[in-house]
Every structure is written in structure tokens, then in C-alpha cells.
């Protein structure tokens, strides 16, 4: 279910509808690496990495857009008056350090891992996008202060990082419309177009 076909005056969705199409970046990259690491020949490794490199870039784009989308949706939900959040898969689960594994993996991969391997295998320099690092580090704080969303039952329960902007009513409407567009087109990366509304 997505916001495109969900109608309620008292309830809102935890996920507006875009997370289903985004693979776990750590698992995705680890899967790609697993086949790559079995190769012994350096020449073959360089060739294989050249094939994987664009896939790594795409995984970074998609997953960073997803984390931005989570915060955009969180900001939008927070603007609503004490509505019940439904379909929260984190509700009632345990909050622990494992909640940060995926975001930490992506931050480290964007900061260091990809550039290290790109230099070694392709003689290329990968420079991380400052916006991406801001999104990822802010999302980690969002995850931390909400304790993995394990107790988030209503829109009032959502806590927002202090560095996020408070959008105007017009900006909130634009955020909702852009999220709806991203869900409809199954193109989460268009959310980068409105990152300045909250960052």
C-alpha cells in the first residue's frame, strides 16, 4: 500500500510506498563483492570492478535518496496533528547497535571504501557528494533519536534532528506532492530535487 491509494483522516502510513523497491545497500554491495572477491587474477579483478563500479554508484544514489525520503516523510508526518501511524515494522522490536549497521556501512563506503577500491582497480578517484554525506549523517541522527522507531505509534512520537529545517505549509505540500510523484514513477531519486526544503 502507498500514499497514492491510502485515504484516512486519522491514520497515516509509516512507509509512503517507496521502500519496497530499494534493496539493502549493505547486502547489495556485499553480494556484488562476494563474487568479485573469489577472482584471483588481478587483471580479471580490474575488469570485474570496472563492471561493478557503475552499480555501486547507482546503489549509493538510490539508498541515499531513500534515507532522504525517510526524513522528508518524517518531517511531513510531524506536521500532522497526532495521527496514528500504521504498518510500522519496527514497532515493538528491540533497539540496539545493529540498527546502525546499514547506515554505518553506507557512510563508510561513501567516505572511504569506494574511493580506495576505485583508485586501486581503476586508477580513478571517487569523490563523495557532500550532500549525500549530510543526508546519511543526518539520517543516522534521525534513527538514533527515534531509537530505531521501535516506539513510534503516532505522528507526535516522531523526533526530528535539530539541523532539519521546519518547512512552510507550501513547502510541506510540495514535499507531499514530490513523494507522491516518486512513488508513482518508482523513481526515488527525484527526491533530491527537494532536499533543500529540509536540509
Amino acid at each position: 500500500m502507498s500514499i497514492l491509494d491510502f485515504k484516512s483522516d486519522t491514520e497515516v502510513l509509516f512507509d509512503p510506498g517507496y521502500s519496497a523497491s530499494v534493496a539493502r545497500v549493505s547486502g547489495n554491495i556485499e553480494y556484488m563483492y562476494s563474487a568479485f572477491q573469489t577472482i584471483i587474477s588481478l587483471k580479471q579483478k580490474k575488469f570485474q570492478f570496472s563492471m561493478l563500479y557503475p552499480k555501486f554508484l547507482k546503489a549509493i544514489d538510490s539508498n541515499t535518496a531513500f534515507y532522504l525520503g525517510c526524513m522528508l516523510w518524517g518531517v511531513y508526518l510531524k506536521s500532522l496533528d497526532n495521527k496514528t501511524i500504521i504498518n510500522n515494522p519496527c514497532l515493538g522490536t528491540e533497539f540496539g547497535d545493529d540498527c546502525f549497521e546499514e547506515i554505518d556501512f553506507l557512510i563508510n563506503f561513501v567516505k572511504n571504501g569506494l574511493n580506495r577500491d576505485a583508485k586501486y582497480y581503476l586508477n580513478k578517484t571517487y569523490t563523495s557528494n557532500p550532500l549525500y554525506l549530510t543526508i546519511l549523517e543526518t539520517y543516522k541522527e534521525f534513527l538514533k533519536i527515534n531509537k530505531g522507531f521501535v516506539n513510534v505509534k503516532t505522528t507526535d512520537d516522531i523526533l526530528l534532528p535539530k539541523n532539519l529545517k521546519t518547512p512552510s505549509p507550501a513547502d510541506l505540500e510540495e514535499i507531499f506532492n514530490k513523494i507522491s510523484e516518486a512513488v508513482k514513477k518508482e523513481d526515488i531519486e527525484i527526491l533530491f530535487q527537494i532536499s533543500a526544503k529540509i536540509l
Side-chain angles (χ1 to χ4, degrees):
M1 183 180 295
S2 75
I3 54 173
L4 300 177
D5 49 25
F6 181 79
K7 304 294 180 191
S8 174
D9 294 329
T10 59
E11 296 177 326
V12 290
L13 294 171
F14 180 79
D15 168 21
Y18 42 58
S19 69
S21 61
V22 179
R24 283 173 48 93
V25 67
S26 57
N28 193 354
I29 291 174
E30 286 170 2
Y31 175 79
M32 288 189 275
Y33 261 124
S34 65
F36 168 72
Q37 289 175 333
T38 61
I39 300 170
I40 298 172
S41 163
L42 179 59
K43 184 177 180 181
Q44 289 179 347
K45 273 197 164 186
K46 286 182 176 181
F47 174 75
Q48 185 67 17
F49 193 84
S50 71
M51 302 296 287
L52 291 174
Y53 187 68
K55 295 180 181 179
F56 292 147
L57 297 179
K58 180 63 177 175
I60 289 170
D61 291 345
S62 297
N63 284 273
T64 304
F66 170 72
Y67 290 127
L68 171 63
C70 291
M71 292 189 292
L72 286 164
W73 187 238
V75 167
Y76 177 78
L77 292 183
K78 186 67 176 177
S79 73
L80 304 176
D81 184 30
N82 198 30
K83 291 185 182 290
T84 300
I85 296 174
I86 64 169
N87 298 340
N88 176 359
C90 309
L91 188 64
T93 61
E94 292 292 322
F95 173 66
D97 289 341
D98 58 328
C99 290
F100 300 106
E101 286 178 2
E102 190 173 337
I103 189 68
D104 283 342
F105 178 90
L106 187 52
I107 290 170
N108 291 332
F109 189 69
V110 170
K111 276 186 175 178
N112 305 306
L114 185 57
N115 185 46
R116 178 196 62 224
D117 290 340
K119 280 183 177 179
Y120 186 76
Y121 294 113
L122 301 179
N123 200 26
K124 282 186 177 181
T125 299
Y126 167 77
T127 304
S128 55
N129 185 327
L131 173 62
Y132 284 20
L133 288 174
T134 298
I135 289 168
L136 297 174
E137 288 165 355
T138 305
Y139 178 80
K140 183 175 180 180
E141 178 64 16
F142 184 48
L143 185 63
K144 181 179 178 181
I145 61 178
N146 286 284
K147 296 183 177 178
F149 310 104
V150 300
N151 297 311
V152 174
K153 298 178 181 178
T154 72
T155 53
D156 285 357
D157 294 333
I158 297 171
L159 302 175
L160 299 175
K162 292 179 181 178
N163 65 315
L164 289 184
K165 297 175 185 175
T166 302
S168 67
D171 285 344
L172 286 167
E173 183 177 358
E174 186 175 350
I175 287 170
F176 181 85
N177 290 337
K178 188 60 72 173
I179 290 173
S180 298
E181 181 184 351
V183 170
K184 184 175 182 179
K185 293 182 176 178
E186 297 183 356
D187 180 8
I188 200 165
E189 291 174 36
I190 65 175
L191 296 178
F192 287 125
Q193 297 170 15
I194 56 166
S195 60
K197 299 296 181 184
I198 63 169
L199 292 170

